[in-house]
Amino acid sequence: MAMGDNNDSMVPGLEGEENLIAAAKHLVRALGSKKNLTDDEKKVLADLGKQLSTIATVNETAVNENKGEGINEIELQLNAVQEKITSWEVDESIIWDGGSTEGHEYLNAVDEARNLTERLDRLCEDKGDDENELLRRAHNVIQMAMARLEEEFRHILVEHRQPLEPEHLSFRSSEEDAADVGSINSFGDDSFEEPIHRDGVSRTSEEYIVDLVNPDVISDLSCIANSMFQSNYHHECSQVYISVRKDAFEEYLFILEMEKLSIEHLLKMEWRALNSKIKRWIRAMKIFVRLYLSREKWLSEQIFGDLGSLSSVCFVEASKASILQLLNFGEAVSIGPHKPEKLFPFLDMYELLLSLIPDIDALYSGEAGSCVRNEYDDVIKRLGDSVRAAFLEFENAIASSTSTNPFAGGGIHHLTRYVMNYIKTLTDYSETLNLLLDDCDRETFSPEMSPAKEEGKTSGGTSPNISPMALHFRSVASILECNLEEKAKLYKDPSLVHIFLMNNIYYMTQKVKDSELRHLFGDDWIRKHNWKFQQHEMNYERATWSSILALLKDEGNSSSGSISKTHLKERFRRFYLSFEEVYKTQTAWLIPDLQLREDLRISTSLKVIQAYRTFLGRHINHVSDKHIKYSADDLQNYLLDLFEGSPKSLHNSYRR
């Protein structure tokens, strides 16, 4: 049989011949057991058995000789490799600091040691003491090399971590540290502020690409990882990677100013401070997922991409603690009281997490990432529940808002401004709110909302396909109107009741007409509320001027000649006193809208001045000038002072 240069290549051939010899012997024994064989046949079988035994003995000797020669050769090679690897151990400097060339020389030595170990495992199935000792030496060399590679791997990861560039990662703004103009203390007082508009987040940071580790060393890291993986030291390699990158992620969170906070601490935090942290969290979450995590995923794939699922496992384990820390913040925020001012932050957080679902699913795919995906989905659900709860709390808070004193001047109540600006801003979240409010239990509406429910059914533009958000917004408007009517009862002057309701209903109507709310409320709602504030305008004129203008009417068919001068003087005197009282009182009242104020002044002037001119023209010859305090033009000018919110007086303002 021809033999190759490689000694152990002969062994499989010998083993094959042994199998054939054994089969032939078995056949000889089987034939020899037959009783009808002739003596010559028995002799032939006996000679054949002897020859087979001789061949088997020769082959066994050859196998043993080849095995001995192979082990001797391996021992010589192992001595050389061990000397190489040990020489690097004597030099305590980092191998890869000398460059990739020296590093790859070391990896080649490790490959040799591993190949020799594998050959020893194959050759020494029935190991004697010598073979076992040689195999132990080979494993020790591998173990020593793996320890060194582990150290080198850690060193490269740490030393070549890229410094982060602050100009691309800074997201702090003066707005975050400023007072949050959208917050309110409670609905139980008369102090409301307009909600802050939706906070846009720049995409600059998420589009910026960073290298978390110097790209020049990624190939070296990959080669080390492959060598350790082939030597069955993948666990040690992955643990080094996970440990180092965990530390890196902690640094990233520190740069993003996302410190660890307990749920208890967050629940006790003052709202403005918490709101600032929520804004910071929103920015940090986008940067973390779309910048850091995406690049970390890329890095792990570059290093472990050829090693099966190891890449995914390393990425998940390295980043899991940090992403869960961010998600825990979202969960903690959702647990706290669902005050109305929290609705906007809840919506911003919810929409952000919703928008990042494709990123999270791609980053944490497979079984390894299921724990993160499940936690992520749970936080989204919790925030969705918080949005619903905060919106319902908003509705209930409007209904239960009480005032102990009438609103000064009858102007637009802070609650009206707050509520209408609140729902106007919410139109930016139409898609999300329609999704979440559609699941809202309509039976949880407060009793005060029943008028709104009826209004939602009858108001124009309300088809059976009315959106959940439109229904809820109309409910809010109806609740607000009911509340304003209760607040109006605090006024003692019936005229001021109508001014107050006219102002507030007009404000509500204009907010709807001039914004996206128009599509939700419909034109019929606008027409209905136009009619409402116009009714209050007419009712104001009746309540204020009807009794005063009655003084300027002639009774029955009486002419000026039949009215005594004394009676005329008394009527002029009473008219002037009443007008002065109206002037003194209603200059302190306020109609903030310029157009509405002018319209009411003109309407009032037409009625009052026309009646005064007629009465004065009819009776001016029957009373002396000293009893005529004001001309028609004077009164007309004085009427222009009404509803400015600055009290004035006409006392002692006699004509000379």
Side-chain angles (χ1 to χ4, degrees):
M1 183 180 67
M3 296 184 185
D5 293 333
N6 190 347
N7 290 330
D8 67 345
S9 67
M10 175 182 174
V11 174
L14 291 174
E15 289 176 350
E17 291 179 11
E18 289 174 355
N19 292 335
L20 289 173
I21 292 168
K25 285 183 176 181
H26 180 75
L27 180 60
V28 168
R29 284 195 298 272
L31 292 172
S33 63
K34 291 187 176 182
K35 296 180 180 180
N36 56 350
L37 290 177
T38 65
D39 291 339
D40 290 338
E41 288 173 335
K42 289 179 181 179
K43 183 179 179 180
V44 170
L45 288 175
D47 290 341
L48 180 59
K50 289 178 182 180
Q51 292 177 26
L52 289 173
S53 297
T54 301
I55 293 172
T57 302
V58 171
N59 272 341
E60 184 177 352
T61 302
V63 168
N64 290 333
E65 288 176 355
N66 271 286
K67 185 180 290 187
E69 291 175 5
I71 289 175
N72 289 336
E73 180 191 348
I74 290 173
E75 184 174 7
L76 291 174
Q77 294 177 7
L78 181 60
N79 290 339
V81 170
Q82 185 174 9
E83 185 177 348
K84 284 184 187 179
I85 291 176
T86 305
S87 68
W88 270 298
E89 291 303 313
V90 174
D91 183 0
E92 295 182 356
S93 63
I94 298 297
I95 297 172
W96 264 265
D97 282 352
S100 294
T101 301
E102 186 175 355
H104 284 287
E105 287 179 9
Y106 188 84
L107 288 177
N108 289 335
V110 173
D111 286 343
E112 287 184 53
R114 183 172 57 253
N115 289 333
L116 291 172
T117 305
E118 291 172 355
R119 288 176 63 188
L120 278 170
D121 276 332
R122 288 198 303 269
L123 288 174
C124 303
E125 293 180 352
D126 300 321
K127 303 178 183 71
D129 291 339
D130 292 341
E131 289 87 350
N132 280 326
E133 178 59 30
L134 192 59
L135 190 58
R136 277 194 294 271
R137 276 183 55 201
H139 281 298
N140 287 340
V141 172
I142 291 294
Q143 188 174 0
M144 178 171 55
M146 291 301 109
R148 183 58 180 264
L149 286 181
E150 184 177 331
E151 180 184 349
E152 296 282 333
F153 192 73
R154 181 187 301 276
H155 175 81
I156 296 173
L157 278 174
V158 172
E159 292 301 315
H160 292 273
R161 190 165 66 190
Q162 292 281 70
L164 301 174
E165 301 180 37
E167 64 268 24
H168 295 288
L169 302 179
S170 175
F171 57 88
R172 298 185 65 183
S173 67
S174 57
E175 292 180 1
E176 285 188 39
D177 299 321
D180 174 26
V181 297
S183 64
I184 56 172
N185 293 325
S186 72
F187 273 84
D189 58 27
D190 289 333
S191 178
F192 299 89
E193 300 171 16
E194 295 190 14
I196 193 169
H197 290 291
R198 188 173 189 176
D199 182 30
V201 180
S202 170
R203 294 183 60 89
T204 302
S205 59
E206 69 188 66
E207 293 174 351
Y208 178 70
I209 301 299
V210 298
D211 288 311
L212 306 180
V213 172
N214 189 332
D216 295 338
V217 302
I218 291 179
S219 176
D220 294 331
L221 290 168
S222 178
C223 290
I224 294 173
N226 274 277
S227 181
M228 296 185 73
F229 184 84
Q230 291 171 16
S231 302
N232 293 324
Y233 277 77
H234 54 276
H235 177 75
E236 287 77 3
C237 182
S238 62
Q239 288 306 304
V240 170
Y241 181 87
I242 291 167
S243 173
V244 172
R245 299 310 300 162
K246 265 187 178 180
D247 292 341
F249 274 112
E250 288 182 7
E251 180 184 318
Y252 301 153
L253 290 182
F254 177 79
I255 291 171
L256 296 174
E257 300 179 2
M258 291 306 299
E259 69 273 31
K260 285 185 180 180
L261 296 171
S262 67
I263 293 177
E264 292 76 16
H265 183 77
L266 286 170
L267 290 176
K268 293 177 182 178
M269 191 174 291
E270 190 265 336
W271 166 240
R272 295 195 178 196
L274 178 59
N275 194 27
S276 178
K277 290 191 179 297
I278 290 174
K279 291 178 181 178
R280 188 170 298 156
W281 179 88
I282 289 172
R283 289 170 171 81
M285 193 72 182
K286 290 190 83 171
I287 293 171
F288 192 81
V289 172
R290 289 184 172 157
L291 182 65
Y292 292 146
L293 287 183
S294 65
R295 295 304 290 169
E296 184 70 26
K297 181 79 168 179
W298 179 86
L299 178 64
S300 65
E301 287 173 349
Q302 295 303 304
I303 296 174
F304 302 107
D306 298 328
L307 307 179
S309 63
L310 193 60
S311 166
S312 178
V313 171
C314 286
F315 165 75
V316 171
E317 292 303 316
S319 63
K320 183 168 64 176
S322 294
I323 186 65
L324 290 181
Q325 178 182 331
L326 288 170
L327 292 176
N328 287 342
F329 177 89
E331 182 178 356
V333 169
S334 71
I335 291 174
H338 300 128
K339 295 180 180 179
E341 62 265 33
K342 289 187 177 182
L343 179 56
F344 291 99
F346 284 153
L347 281 166
D348 287 333
M349 295 173 76
Y350 179 85
E351 287 195 344
L352 171 67
L353 292 185
L354 215 60
S355 71
L356 293 177
I357 286 177
D359 300 87
I360 293 297
D361 286 346
L363 291 166
Y364 294 97
S365 59
E367 182 62 28
S370 61
C371 60
V372 173
R373 295 198 311 275
N374 292 339
E375 181 66 21
Y376 194 89
D377 292 342
D378 187 57
V379 174
I380 289 179
K381 182 179 181 300
R382 285 177 177 272
L383 285 170
D385 292 340
S386 296
V387 168
R388 298 185 192 94
F391 191 91
L392 291 177
E393 182 60 28
F394 170 62
E395 293 174 323
N396 294 331
I398 300 169
S400 59
S401 170
T402 58
S403 300
T404 55
N405 298 309
F407 188 69
I412 301 168
H413 198 280
H414 300 311
L415 178 62
T416 307
R417 292 183 186 275
Y418 183 85
V419 169
M420 295 309 296
N421 281 289
Y422 192 102
I423 62 174
K424 178 186 173 184
T425 307
L426 283 175
T427 58
D428 289 342
Y429 303 88
S430 297
E431 185 176 346
T432 301
L433 281 174
N434 277 320
L435 173 69
L436 294 174
L437 294 179
D438 190 39
D439 298 331
C440 234
D441 184 3
R442 306 290 170 86
E443 298 303 318
T444 61
F445 285 176
S446 60
E448 290 84 355
M449 292 179 67
S450 55
K453 291 170 72 176
E454 293 302 316
E455 183 177 318
K457 295 176 183 178
T458 60
S459 183
T462 59
S463 67
N465 296 324
I466 179 174
S467 70
M469 190 171 78
L471 178 63
H472 279 266
F473 279 16
R474 293 179 191 181
S475 297
V476 166
S478 181
I479 296 168
L480 176 60
E481 284 186 62
C482 292
N483 188 282
L484 291 171
E485 288 172 3
E486 289 301 310
K487 285 177 167 48
K489 293 177 182 178
L490 296 172
Y491 295 110
K492 295 180 180 179
D493 190 328
S495 298
L496 188 52
V497 169
H498 295 298
I499 290 292
F500 174 75
L501 291 174
M502 177 194 71
N503 272 329
N504 284 271
I505 293 174
Y506 180 82
Y507 180 86
M508 292 171 64
T509 307
Q510 291 304 113
K511 277 292 179 182
V512 171
K513 283 173 61 178
D514 299 336
S515 70
E516 290 298 315
L517 292 172
R518 183 173 199 136
H519 304 298
L520 297 171
F521 282 79
D523 290 339
D524 280 0
W525 186 96
I526 293 172
R527 283 192 290 270
K528 177 180 179 181
H529 285 76
N530 277 334
W531 178 84
K532 279 188 177 182
F533 80 75
Q534 289 167 1
Q535 283 297 113
H536 286 298
E537 184 178 4
M538 289 188 292
N539 290 338
Y540 153 78
E541 291 177 352
R542 291 194 192 99
T544 298
W545 298 105
S546 291
S547 59
I548 297 174
L549 294 180
L551 296 172
L552 303 180
K553 289 183 179 179
D554 292 331
E555 300 170 357
N557 295 321
S558 60
S559 64
S560 58
S562 62
I563 301 176
S564 68
K565 292 182 179 180
T566 302
H567 187 54
L568 279 175
K569 287 188 286 186
E570 178 61 19
R571 289 174 68 177
F572 273 110
R573 186 187 70 82
R574 288 171 58 194
F575 173 79
Y576 292 140
L577 285 174
S578 298
F579 186 90
E580 288 167 357
E581 184 60 31
V582 168
Y583 183 88
K584 176 184 177 182
T585 302
Q586 297 191 13
T587 51
W589 295 358
L590 178 64
I591 298 179
D593 185 84
L594 179 62
Q595 187 62 51
L596 183 61
R597 185 166 68 236
E598 289 301 311
D599 288 347
L600 187 55
R601 284 171 175 173
I602 291 170
S603 176
T604 301
S605 180
L606 287 173
K607 293 179 176 64
V608 175
I609 302 306
Q610 180 61 38
Y612 182 71
R613 287 185 193 276
T614 301
F615 188 77
L616 185 61
R618 183 177 299 170
H619 301 293
I620 193 169
N621 295 327
H622 299 88
V623 291
S624 64
D625 288 348
K626 68 178 182 180
H627 296 296
I628 307 299
K629 279 189 178 182
Y630 312 111
S631 68
D633 290 341
D634 290 334
L635 294 182
Q636 189 163 355
N637 289 331
Y638 291 143
L639 287 174
L640 296 179
D641 293 336
L642 300 184
F643 316 125
E644 293 282 356
S646 177
K648 298 177 182 178
S649 177
L650 288 177
H651 288 310
N652 301 320
S653 178
Y654 292 94
R655 287 178 57 199
R656 300 298 181 192

